[in-house]
Amino acid sequence: MKKSQKKLSASLEALKKAEQICDSNGLKLTKLRKQVLNLIWKKSGYVKAYDLLDELKKVDPSAKPPTIYRTLDFLMENGLIHKIQSLNAFIGCPHPDEHNECYFLICDRCQMIEECCSKKISNVVSSTSKNSNFIPSKVTFEIAGTCQNCLN
Amino acid sequence: MKKSQKKLSASLEALKKAEQICDSNGLKLTKLRKQVLNLIWKKSGYVKAYDLLDELKKVDPSAKPPTIYRTLDFLMENGLIHKIQSLNAFIGCPHPDEHNECYFLICDRCQMIEECCSKKISNVVSSTSKNSNFIPSKVTFEIAGTCQNCLN
DNA sequence: AATATAAATGTTATATTATAACATATATGT
DNA sequence: ACATATATGTTATAATATAACATTTATATT
Protein backbone atom coordinates (compact mmCIF):
# COMPACT_ATOMS: atom_id res chain seq x y z
CA MET A 1 0.00 0.00 0.00
CA LYS A 2 1.37 3.36 -0.98
CA LYS A 3 1.92 6.10 1.57
CA SER A 4 -0.65 8.38 -0.04
CA GLN A 5 -3.23 5.60 0.27
CA LYS A 6 -2.29 5.01 3.87
CA LYS A 7 -2.76 8.69 4.60
CA LEU A 8 -6.02 8.77 2.71
CA SER A 9 -7.46 5.92 4.69
CA ALA A 10 -6.26 7.34 7.99
CA SER A 11 -8.00 10.56 7.09
CA LEU A 12 -11.20 8.78 6.06
CA GLU A 13 -11.06 6.66 9.17
CA ALA A 14 -10.67 9.77 11.32
CA LEU A 15 -13.57 11.48 9.59
CA LYS A 16 -15.76 8.45 10.10
CA LYS A 17 -14.94 8.27 13.78
CA ALA A 18 -15.51 12.00 14.12
CA GLU A 19 -18.95 11.64 12.57
CA GLN A 20 -19.82 8.80 14.89
CA ILE A 21 -18.70 10.71 17.95
CA CYS A 22 -20.54 13.87 16.95
CA ASP A 23 -23.66 11.92 16.10
CA SER A 24 -23.78 10.12 19.38
CA ASN A 25 -23.07 13.26 21.38
CA GLY A 26 -25.42 15.67 19.66
CA LEU A 27 -22.55 17.65 18.16
CA LYS A 28 -22.55 19.14 14.72
CA LEU A 29 -19.68 18.18 12.45
CA THR A 30 -20.32 21.02 10.02
CA LYS A 31 -18.79 21.46 6.59
CA LEU A 32 -16.15 23.82 7.98
CA ARG A 33 -15.23 21.47 10.80
CA LYS A 34 -14.97 18.56 8.38
CA GLN A 35 -12.81 20.59 6.02
CA VAL A 36 -10.45 21.57 8.80
CA LEU A 37 -10.25 18.08 10.26
CA ASN A 38 -9.49 16.81 6.77
CA LEU A 39 -6.74 19.36 6.26
CA ILE A 40 -5.20 18.34 9.56
CA TRP A 41 -5.21 14.68 8.58
CA LYS A 42 -3.82 15.39 5.13
CA LYS A 43 -0.55 16.51 6.66
CA SER A 44 1.68 13.66 7.67
CA GLY A 45 2.91 15.34 10.85
CA TYR A 46 1.69 18.24 12.89
CA VAL A 47 0.10 21.42 11.56
CA LYS A 48 0.40 25.05 12.56
CA ALA A 49 -2.77 27.12 12.81
CA TYR A 50 -1.78 29.68 10.22
CA ASP A 51 -0.62 27.05 7.74
CA LEU A 52 -4.01 25.49 8.16
CA LEU A 53 -5.57 28.89 7.57
CA ASP A 54 -3.61 29.25 4.33
CA GLU A 55 -4.83 25.84 3.20
CA LEU A 56 -8.38 26.63 4.11
CA LYS A 57 -8.23 29.92 2.25
CA LYS A 58 -7.62 27.99 -0.95
CA VAL A 59 -11.15 26.62 -0.78
CA ASP A 60 -12.68 29.42 1.28
CA PRO A 61 -10.96 32.75 0.65
CA SER A 62 -12.96 34.47 3.37
CA ALA A 63 -11.43 32.34 6.13
CA LYS A 64 -9.75 34.31 8.89
CA PRO A 65 -7.88 33.52 12.11
CA PRO A 66 -11.03 33.13 14.22
CA THR A 67 -12.38 30.72 11.63
CA ILE A 68 -9.47 28.40 12.28
CA TYR A 69 -9.12 28.92 16.00
CA ARG A 70 -12.79 28.38 16.70
CA THR A 71 -12.78 25.23 14.68
CA LEU A 72 -9.62 24.01 16.38
CA ASP A 73 -11.28 24.70 19.73
CA PHE A 74 -14.27 22.62 18.79
CA LEU A 75 -12.12 19.76 17.58
CA MET A 76 -9.98 19.87 20.72
CA GLU A 77 -12.90 20.09 23.11
CA ASN A 78 -14.28 16.96 21.60
CA GLY A 79 -11.03 15.06 21.57
CA LEU A 80 -10.73 14.89 17.78
CA ILE A 81 -7.38 16.66 17.74
CA HIS A 82 -4.69 17.58 20.22
CA LYS A 83 -2.64 20.69 20.70
CA ILE A 84 1.08 20.13 21.02
CA GLN A 85 1.93 22.77 23.59
CA SER A 86 5.68 22.74 23.10
CA LEU A 87 5.25 23.46 19.38
CA ASN A 88 2.07 25.51 19.25
CA ALA A 89 0.87 22.97 16.75
CA PHE A 90 -2.02 20.62 16.22
CA ILE A 91 -2.40 16.99 15.29
CA GLY A 92 -5.28 14.62 14.69
CA CYS A 93 -6.11 12.12 17.38
CA PRO A 94 -6.06 8.55 16.05
CA HIS A 95 -8.37 7.23 18.77
CA PRO A 96 -10.87 9.93 19.69
CA ASP A 97 -13.26 7.22 20.86
CA GLU A 98 -11.04 6.22 23.76
CA HIS A 99 -10.02 8.82 26.30
CA ASN A 100 -6.76 7.79 27.84
CA GLU A 101 -3.99 9.79 29.32
CA CYS A 102 -1.64 10.03 26.38
CA TYR A 103 1.80 11.29 25.61
CA PHE A 104 3.50 12.37 22.44
CA LEU A 105 6.83 11.40 20.97
CA ILE A 106 7.89 14.35 18.87
CA CYS A 107 10.73 13.96 16.42
CA ASP A 108 12.98 17.01 16.10
CA ARG A 109 14.19 15.98 12.64
CA CYS A 110 11.09 14.99 10.72
CA GLN A 111 7.74 16.40 11.81
CA MET A 112 6.34 13.09 12.93
CA ILE A 113 4.52 12.77 16.20
CA GLU A 114 3.55 9.46 17.67
CA GLU A 115 0.68 9.51 20.09
CA CYS A 116 0.97 6.82 22.70
CA CYS A 117 -1.24 5.71 25.53
CA SER A 118 -0.01 3.94 28.56
CA LYS A 119 -1.51 2.91 31.85
CA LYS A 120 1.85 3.84 33.32
CA ILE A 121 1.20 7.46 32.57
CA SER A 122 -2.16 7.60 34.26
CA ASN A 123 -0.69 5.71 37.19
CA VAL A 124 2.18 8.13 37.57
CA VAL A 125 -0.18 11.08 37.23
CA SER A 126 -2.61 9.85 39.82
CA SER A 127 -0.01 8.65 42.29
CA THR A 128 2.13 11.76 42.08
CA SER A 129 -0.94 13.99 42.26
CA LYS A 130 -2.12 12.21 45.36
CA ASN A 131 1.25 12.85 47.00
CA SER A 132 0.68 16.56 46.60
CA ASN A 133 -3.05 16.55 47.30
CA PHE A 134 -3.57 17.85 43.81
CA ILE A 135 -6.65 17.16 41.70
CA PRO A 136 -5.47 16.83 38.11
CA SER A 137 -7.67 17.87 35.23
CA LYS A 138 -5.46 18.28 32.19
CA VAL A 139 -2.20 16.51 31.43
CA THR A 140 0.42 17.70 28.98
CA PHE A 141 3.10 15.12 28.34
CA GLU A 142 5.37 15.69 25.39
CA ILE A 143 8.70 14.04 24.75
CA ALA A 144 10.90 15.57 22.08
CA GLY A 145 13.78 13.66 20.59
CA THR A 146 14.71 11.55 17.61
CA CYS A 147 12.46 8.93 16.10
CA GLN A 148 13.31 5.47 14.87
CA ASN A 149 13.30 6.49 11.20
CA CYS A 150 15.59 9.42 11.65
CA LEU A 151 18.11 7.40 13.62
CA ASN A 152 19.12 5.47 10.51
CA MET B 1 8.12 33.33 59.37
CA LYS B 2 6.13 35.68 57.21
CA LYS B 3 5.39 34.90 53.59
CA SER B 4 7.40 37.87 52.34
CA GLN B 5 10.40 36.61 54.25
CA LYS B 6 9.97 33.14 52.88
CA LYS B 7 9.86 34.56 49.37
CA LEU B 8 12.87 36.70 50.02
CA SER B 9 14.94 33.81 51.22
CA ALA B 10 13.86 31.61 48.35
CA SER B 11 14.93 34.34 46.00
CA LEU B 12 18.27 34.81 47.75
CA GLU B 13 18.79 31.08 47.83
CA ALA B 14 18.09 30.87 44.11
CA LEU B 15 20.49 33.70 43.35
CA LYS B 16 23.19 32.05 45.40
CA LYS B 17 22.76 28.75 43.60
CA ALA B 18 22.73 30.52 40.26
CA GLU B 19 26.01 32.21 41.09
CA GLN B 20 27.57 28.91 42.10
CA ILE B 21 26.42 27.20 38.95
CA CYS B 22 27.59 29.99 36.70
CA ASP B 23 30.90 30.22 38.49
CA SER B 24 31.64 26.55 38.20
CA ASN B 25 30.56 26.42 34.56
CA GLY B 26 32.30 29.50 33.28
CA LEU B 27 29.01 31.28 32.69
CA LYS B 28 28.46 34.94 33.33
CA LEU B 29 25.62 35.87 35.62
CA THR B 30 25.54 39.48 34.53
CA LYS B 31 23.67 42.33 36.19
CA LEU B 32 20.81 41.97 33.71
CA ARG B 33 20.54 38.24 34.23
CA LYS B 34 20.56 38.66 37.98
CA GLN B 35 17.88 41.32 37.79
CA VAL B 36 15.64 39.14 35.68
CA LEU B 37 16.18 36.05 37.81
CA ASN B 38 15.34 38.15 40.83
CA LEU B 39 12.15 39.46 39.25
CA ILE B 40 11.12 35.92 38.44
CA TRP B 41 11.64 34.80 42.02
CA LYS B 42 9.85 37.83 43.42
CA LYS B 43 6.59 36.59 41.96
CA SER B 44 4.96 33.88 43.98
CA GLY B 45 3.76 31.91 40.97
CA TYR B 46 4.65 31.93 37.33
CA VAL B 47 5.56 35.00 35.26
CA LYS B 48 4.75 36.01 31.73
CA ALA B 49 7.54 37.42 29.58
CA TYR B 50 5.90 40.77 28.95
CA ASP B 51 4.97 41.25 32.59
CA LEU B 52 8.60 40.66 33.37
CA LEU B 53 9.50 43.20 30.72
CA ASP B 54 7.22 45.75 32.36
CA GLU B 55 8.87 45.10 35.70
CA LEU B 56 12.32 45.36 34.22
CA LYS B 57 11.44 48.62 32.51
CA LYS B 58 10.86 50.16 35.93
CA VAL B 59 14.57 49.89 36.66
CA ASP B 60 15.81 49.92 33.06
CA PRO B 61 13.48 51.91 30.80
CA SER B 62 15.42 50.91 27.72
CA ALA B 63 14.53 47.22 28.11
CA LYS B 64 12.81 45.68 25.08
CA PRO B 65 11.42 42.27 24.18
CA PRO B 66 14.77 40.83 23.05
CA THR B 67 16.26 41.94 26.35
CA ILE B 68 13.87 39.68 28.18
CA TYR B 69 13.75 36.80 25.76
CA ARG B 70 17.51 36.56 25.47
CA THR B 71 17.85 36.56 29.19
CA LEU B 72 15.13 33.98 29.59
CA ASP B 73 16.93 31.83 27.03
CA PHE B 74 20.14 32.02 28.99
CA LEU B 75 18.40 31.15 32.24
CA MET B 76 16.56 28.25 30.64
CA GLU B 77 19.61 26.85 28.87
CA ASN B 78 21.36 26.69 32.17
CA GLY B 79 18.47 25.18 34.07
CA LEU B 80 17.88 28.19 36.31
CA ILE B 81 14.29 28.60 35.18
CA HIS B 82 11.71 26.57 33.30
CA LYS B 83 9.21 27.46 30.66
CA ILE B 84 5.68 26.27 31.28
CA GLN B 85 4.65 25.36 27.77
CA SER B 86 0.94 25.12 28.40
CA LEU B 87 0.89 28.68 29.77
CA ASN B 88 3.66 30.40 27.85
CA ALA B 89 5.03 31.34 31.21
CA PHE B 90 8.21 31.04 33.20
CA ILE B 91 9.11 29.97 36.69
CA GLY B 92 12.27 29.70 38.73
CA CYS B 93 13.77 26.28 39.27
CA PRO B 94 14.19 25.51 42.95
CA HIS B 95 16.95 22.93 42.37
CA PRO B 96 19.03 24.02 39.39
CA ASP B 97 21.93 22.02 40.78
CA GLU B 98 20.20 18.70 40.25
CA HIS B 99 19.01 17.76 36.80
CA ASN B 100 16.12 15.41 37.16
CA GLU B 101 13.19 14.75 34.94
CA CYS B 102 10.58 16.93 36.55
CA TYR B 103 6.91 17.66 36.21
CA PHE B 104 4.77 20.60 37.19
CA LEU B 105 1.53 20.74 39.11
CA ILE B 106 -0.22 23.86 37.89
CA CYS B 107 -3.16 25.22 39.81
CA ASP B 108 -5.91 26.71 37.66
CA ARG B 109 -7.23 28.83 40.50
CA CYS B 110 -4.21 30.46 42.06
CA GLN B 111 -1.06 30.84 40.00
CA MET B 112 0.97 28.42 42.01
CA ILE B 113 3.11 25.84 40.34
CA GLU B 114 4.76 23.04 42.22
CA GLU B 115 7.80 21.51 40.60
CA CYS B 116 8.20 17.89 41.45
CA CYS B 117 10.81 15.32 40.63
CA SER B 118 10.19 11.65 40.59
CA LYS B 119 12.13 8.63 39.53
CA LYS B 120 8.83 7.30 38.25
CA ILE B 121 8.76 9.96 35.58
CA SER B 122 12.21 9.19 34.24
CA ASN B 123 11.35 5.51 34.35
CA VAL B 124 8.17 5.98 32.37
CA VAL B 125 9.95 8.21 29.89
CA SER B 126 12.79 5.81 29.28
CA SER B 127 10.67 2.67 29.18
CA THR B 128 8.03 4.12 26.89
CA SER B 129 10.67 5.67 24.66
CA LYS B 130 12.41 2.34 24.36
CA ASN B 131 9.17 0.73 23.26
CA SER B 132 9.06 3.13 20.33
CA ASN B 133 12.79 3.14 19.61
CA PHE B 134 12.75 6.80 20.38
CA ILE B 135 15.71 8.75 21.82
CA PRO B 136 14.26 11.38 24.14
CA SER B 137 15.99 14.69 24.64
CA LYS B 138 13.45 17.07 26.16
CA VAL B 139 10.49 16.23 28.33
CA THR B 140 7.48 18.46 28.92
CA PHE B 141 5.24 17.17 31.66
CA GLU B 142 2.63 19.55 33.00
CA ILE B 143 -0.41 18.66 35.04
CA ALA B 144 -3.07 21.32 35.41
CA GLY B 145 -5.73 21.07 38.07
CA THR B 146 -6.54 22.29 41.55
CA CYS B 147 -4.02 22.56 44.34
CA GLN B 148 -4.38 21.63 47.97
CA ASN B 149 -4.87 25.22 49.12
CA CYS B 150 -7.58 26.00 46.63
CA LEU B 151 -9.54 22.88 47.48
CA ASN B 152 -10.49 24.28 50.86
C1' DA C 1 -45.32 27.38 8.51
C1' DA C 2 -44.07 31.34 11.70
C1' DT C 3 -41.54 32.62 15.34
C1' DA C 4 -38.19 32.49 19.02
C1' DT C 5 -33.89 30.80 20.48
C1' DA C 6 -29.52 28.92 20.25
C1' DA C 7 -25.48 27.72 17.74
C1' DA C 8 -22.30 28.59 14.20
C1' DT C 9 -19.97 31.53 11.19
C1' DG C 10 -18.43 36.11 9.32
C1' DT C 11 -15.76 40.24 10.14
C1' DT C 12 -12.91 43.87 12.11
C1' DA C 13 -9.67 44.94 15.06
C1' DT C 14 -6.21 44.13 18.25
C1' DA C 15 -3.71 41.59 21.97
C1' DT C 16 -0.05 38.50 23.05
C1' DT C 17 4.11 36.00 22.31
C1' DA C 18 8.48 35.75 20.04
C1' DT C 19 12.42 36.40 16.81
C1' DA C 20 15.45 38.26 12.90
C1' DA C 21 18.89 41.34 11.83
C1' DC C 22 22.12 44.54 12.61
C1' DA C 23 24.69 48.03 15.77
C1' DT C 24 27.25 48.86 19.85
C1' DA C 25 29.48 47.87 24.08
C1' DT C 26 31.93 44.92 27.28
C1' DA C 27 34.81 41.18 28.65
C1' DT C 28 38.61 37.78 27.64
C1' DG C 29 42.60 35.80 25.79
C1' DT C 30 46.94 36.52 23.32
C1' DA D 1 47.23 46.87 22.82
C1' DC D 2 44.85 44.27 19.92
C1' DA D 3 41.82 40.62 18.20
C1' DT D 4 38.03 37.89 19.26
C1' DA D 5 34.13 36.45 21.49
C1' DT D 6 30.21 37.45 24.28
C1' DA D 7 26.60 40.30 25.78
C1' DT D 8 23.54 44.03 25.20
C1' DG D 9 21.07 47.75 22.59
C1' DT D 10 17.80 48.81 18.99
C1' DT D 11 14.55 48.63 15.16
C1' DA D 12 11.40 46.18 12.96
C1' DT D 13 8.39 42.56 12.21
C1' DA D 14 6.80 37.67 12.48
C1' DA D 15 3.88 34.30 14.61
C1' DT D 16 0.21 33.05 17.63
C1' DA D 17 -4.25 34.03 19.50
C1' DT D 18 -8.55 36.36 21.12
C1' DA D 19 -12.25 40.08 22.02
C1' DA D 20 -16.25 42.00 20.38
C1' DC D 21 -19.91 42.48 17.57
C1' DA D 22 -22.71 41.32 13.11
C1' DT D 23 -24.89 37.96 10.42
C1' DT D 24 -26.40 33.56 9.12
C1' DT D 25 -28.02 28.93 9.85
C1' DA D 26 -30.04 25.29 12.51
C1' DT D 27 -33.44 23.74 16.10
C1' DA D 28 -37.22 23.78 18.99
C1' DT D 29 -41.83 25.53 20.02
C1' DT D 30 -46.10 27.20 19.01
Side-chain angles (χ1 to χ4, degrees):
Chain A
M1 194 188 240
K2 276 183 288 178
K3 194 177 179 189
S4 60
Q5 288 178 310
K6 195 174 145 204
K7 246 191 289 178
L8 181 61
S9 59
S11 176
L12 287 176
E13 187 70 18
L15 257 290
K16 214 175 66 187
K17 282 188 187 172
E19 266 161 5
Q20 286 168 357
I21 287 169
C22 289
D23 268 12
S24 53
N25 291 83
L27 302 166
K28 277 173 282 188
L29 193 62
T30 61
K31 185 183 161 201
L32 174 63
R33 289 165 178 173
K34 258 186 233 175
Q35 284 174 322
V36 172
L37 188 55
N38 241 316
L39 289 174
I40 292 171
W41 275 100
K42 266 195 192 162
K43 295 275 169 180
S44 53
Y46 60 77
V47 209
K48 307 285 285 183
Y50 276 74
D51 291 343
L52 215 42
L53 178 55
D54 289 340
E55 288 302 310
L56 184 59
K57 274 179 175 166
K58 289 179 186 169
V59 296
D60 175 3
S62 76
K64 292 177 183 58
T67 316
I68 281 295
Y69 280 102
R70 278 197 292 233
T71 306
L72 290 173
D73 283 346
F74 171 87
L75 297 172
M76 279 191 286
E77 273 164 21
N78 299 295
L80 302 172
I81 64 170
H82 296 292
K83 179 169 186 180
I84 305 298
Q85 301 287 355
S86 55
L87 295 173
N88 292 324
F90 302 86
I91 191 161
C93 176
H95 52 251
D97 28 17
E98 310 153 41
H99 359 280
N100 295 316
E101 224 99 74
C102 294
Y103 60 98
F104 300 93
L105 300 179
I106 304 168
C107 183
D108 290 331
R109 303 201 195 167
C110 60
Q111 297 199 310
M112 292 311 301
I113 296 184
E114 190 185 347
E115 178 174 350
C116 307
C117 294
S118 155
K119 278 271 175 211
K120 284 186 197 167
I121 306 298
S122 2
N123 287 344
V124 170
V125 169
S126 61
S127 77
T128 54
S129 295
K130 246 173 232 156
N131 283 347
S132 297
N133 275 323
F134 187 91
I135 310 295
S137 59
K138 202 192 98 197
V139 174
T140 300
F141 196 178
E142 301 169 4
I143 307 177
T146 309
C147 78
Q148 197 172 10
N149 267 331
C150 291
L151 279 176
N152 306 329
Chain B
M1 194 187 242
K2 277 186 285 179
K3 196 178 178 186
S4 59
Q5 288 177 309
K6 196 175 143 202
K7 247 191 285 176
L8 179 61
S9 59
S11 177
L12 287 178
E13 187 71 18
L15 255 290
K16 213 176 65 186
K17 283 188 187 174
E19 267 162 4
Q20 285 168 357
I21 286 169
C22 289
D23 267 10
S24 52
N25 290 84
L27 302 165
K28 278 173 281 190
L29 194 61
T30 60
K31 184 183 161 201
L32 174 63
R33 289 165 178 171
K34 258 186 233 175
Q35 284 175 324
V36 172
L37 188 55
N38 240 316
L39 289 173
I40 292 171
W41 275 101
K42 267 197 193 161
K43 295 275 169 179
S44 55
Y46 59 77
V47 208
K48 308 285 284 183
Y50 276 76
D51 291 344
L52 215 41
L53 178 56
D54 289 341
E55 289 302 310
L56 184 60
K57 274 178 173 164
K58 289 179 186 168
V59 295
D60 175 3
S62 76
K64 292 180 183 58
T67 315
I68 281 295
Y69 280 103
R70 278 198 292 232
T71 306
L72 290 173
D73 283 345
F74 171 86
L75 297 172
M76 278 191 286
E77 273 163 20
N78 298 296
L80 302 173
I81 64 169
H82 296 291
K83 178 169 188 181
I84 305 298
Q85 301 287 354
S86 56
L87 295 173
N88 293 323
F90 302 86
I91 191 160
C93 176
H95 51 253
D97 29 15
E98 310 153 41
H99 0 280
N100 295 316
E101 224 98 75
C102 295
Y103 60 98
F104 299 93
L105 301 179
I106 304 167
C107 183
D108 290 332
R109 302 200 195 167
C110 59
Q111 298 198 309
M112 292 310 301
I113 296 185
E114 189 185 347
E115 178 174 351
C116 307
C117 293
S118 155
K119 278 272 175 210
K120 284 186 195 167
I121 305 298
S122 3
N123 288 342
V124 170
V125 169
S126 61
S127 76
T128 53
S129 294
K130 247 174 231 157
N131 283 348
S132 297
N133 274 321
F134 188 90
I135 311 293
S137 59
K138 203 193 97 197
V139 174
T140 301
F141 196 178
E142 300 170 4
I143 307 177
T146 309
C147 79
Q148 198 172 9
N149 266 331
C150 292
L151 279 176
N152 305 330

